[in-house]
Amino acid sequence: MEPYAISSEKRARMCALLAMAWDGQWFLKVYDEYGWDAAARLNARVRAAFGRIEMRRMLRALGKQTAVDLEDAVQIILTYFQDVLAAGFDAEFTVEGDQVEITVTRCAAHLGSKQAHIKTEGQERHDQACIACRGLWHAYFEVLLPNSPVEVELKEQMGHGAPRCRIAIRAGRSHDSKGQSKEADLPSGRGEPAAG
């Protein structure tokens, strides 16, 4: 018996959608078991850790040790979103000097959080993806530009009612309270698995 043939484009899209579904189900089960605060905190830690793995894999796939500069880092991330993640993310990246402005108009994580209809204290919440977002962008750039500290500023977030997300990344700046999320700083008690 021969297996069905699925095109590489359909396989890539299916894998991306399954990864998003896996992530969403993981969050929901942690929420069911431990509540909103624990689920949001753990989600932020896991997403940042996985973000580092994603960018190490991208560098390896591209035969690079690091990004050459900020513009190259943005190109690597854009390639990842378009060619690997392949589903659920539309954004524009504008690079000017040592700053990147990212405008996100579609975010599958945010859309999934809206579909989950999670309520805390009687209010529906859609911001779990936003809580993880700051740590994710920070993780991406710390791997791609390891010798250039970055500052992340979340200017607008769809999970907090904005029509789009606007994120500013400044390279070459020292880490500060705006640059790293508290969740990303929490010790996990064990090392992150190698991206081998």
Side-chain angles (χ1 to χ4, degrees), residues 126-137:
H126 308 131
D127 61 332
Q128 59 265 42
C130 299
I131 292 168
C133 194
R134 180 189 311 275
L136 174 64
W137 290 106

Side-chain angles (χ1 to χ4, degrees), residues 15-30:
C15 284
L17 292 171
L18 288 170
M20 292 296 276
W22 179 303
D23 178 57
Q25 287 301 309
W26 181 89
F27 179 87
L28 289 171
K29 299 318 176 250
V30 174

Side-chain angles (χ1 to χ4, degrees), residues 171-183:
R173 309 286 173 93
S174 61
H175 298 292
D176 66 2
S177 61
K178 288 185 180 181
Q180 289 184 303
S181 67
K182 291 177 186 171
E183 294 82 10

Side-chain angles (χ1 to χ4, degrees), residues 105-122:
T105 54
R106 186 170 62 104
C107 172
H110 174 251
L111 294 172
S113 68
K114 287 176 74 173
Q115 291 172 346
H117 301 291
I118 293 176
K119 290 188 178 184
T120 60
E121 299 176 12

Side-chain angles (χ1 to χ4, degrees), residues 39-100:
R41 186 178 67 251
L42 291 171
N43 187 56
R45 286 178 54 192
V46 168
R47 192 62 192 100
F50 191 68
R52 290 193 234 4
I53 293 168
E54 289 169 305
M55 289 304 109
R56 284 196 300 262
R57 286 286 185 181
M58 279 300 292
L59 288 170
R60 186 175 293 158
L62 296 169
K64 293 176 166 269
Q65 295 275 328
T66 65
V68 175
D69 54 21
L70 186 62
E71 193 166 341
D72 189 40
V74 169
Q75 188 173 3
I76 292 168
I77 293 168
L78 184 59
T79 301
Y80 177 73
F81 286 142
Q82 290 179 343
D83 293 348
V84 179
L85 199 55
F89 184 84
D90 292 329
E92 273 188 35
F93 294 75
T94 306
V95 180
E96 289 186 20
D98 70 346
Q99 182 168 318
V100 181

Side-chain angles (χ1 to χ4, degrees), residues 97-171:
D98 70 346
Q99 182 168 318
V100 181
E101 177 98 4
I102 304 160
T103 304
V104 179
T105 54
R106 186 170 62 104
C107 172
H110 174 251
L111 294 172
S113 68
K114 287 176 74 173
Q115 291 172 346
H117 301 291
I118 293 176
K119 290 188 178 184
T120 60
E121 299 176 12
Q123 297 283 73
E124 193 164 303
R125 296 199 63 170
H126 308 131
D127 61 332
Q128 59 265 42
C130 299
I131 292 168
C133 194
R134 180 189 311 275
L136 174 64
W137 290 106
H138 201 274
Y140 281 171
F141 282 95
E142 82 178 9
V143 169
L144 296 174
L145 298 169
N147 298 316
S148 182
V150 296
E151 178 184 302
V152 177
E153 181 184 356
L154 304 175
K155 294 181 170 188
E156 294 181 68
Q157 295 175 285
M158 289 186 277
H160 294 283
R164 65 188 173 270
C165 294
R166 285 182 46 236
I167 303 133
I169 310 289
R170 290 174 197 85

